[in-house]
Amino acid sequence: MTATTASPPSAVTFSGRLLFPFLRRLRLRLVASWYDRHLQRLDLAEIDEHLLRDLGLTREDVRRECAKSFWQR
């Protein structure tokens, strides 16, 4: 008698990719939000004193926010 091997479901891959498609979308969304946060902090660092005063922020607030890593909120 020969043994038959079952093929894995189509959502599962074993070639280094994520196992489920929704995890891949989640990962892409997470990386996109990290990049967006990084760009926002770069923009914040360039705002002049007059606009910071309008926003109710100090230069110290900006320095503290820009010192955070991209994954920190």
Side-chain angles (χ1 to χ4, degrees):
M1 179 181 271
T2 60
T4 59
T5 58
S7 61
S10 61
V12 178
T13 61
F14 297 102
S15 61
R17 292 186 222 151
L18 289 175
L19 296 177
F20 300 101
F22 75 92
L23 289 177
R24 182 179 179 148
R25 286 190 302 272
L26 182 66
R27 183 180 63 175
L28 290 174
R29 227 178 292 146
L30 180 63
V31 170
S33 70
W34 285 346
Y35 184 66
D36 187 48
R37 190 175 300 143
H38 169 72
L39 293 179
Q40 289 176 14
R41 287 179 178 151
L42 289 177
D43 289 341
L44 181 63
E46 294 178 3
I47 293 177
D48 65 1
E49 297 295 328
H50 178 265
L51 292 175
L52 286 177
R53 207 169 30 251
D54 285 347
L55 293 171
L57 298 173
T58 64
R59 195 43 73 184
E60 179 61 24
D61 295 333
V62 171
R63 187 201 60 75
R64 195 173 326 135
E65 183 65 28
C66 292
K68 292 181 182 178
S69 298
F70 62 88
W71 65 84
Q72 294 176 316
R73 290 184 177 201

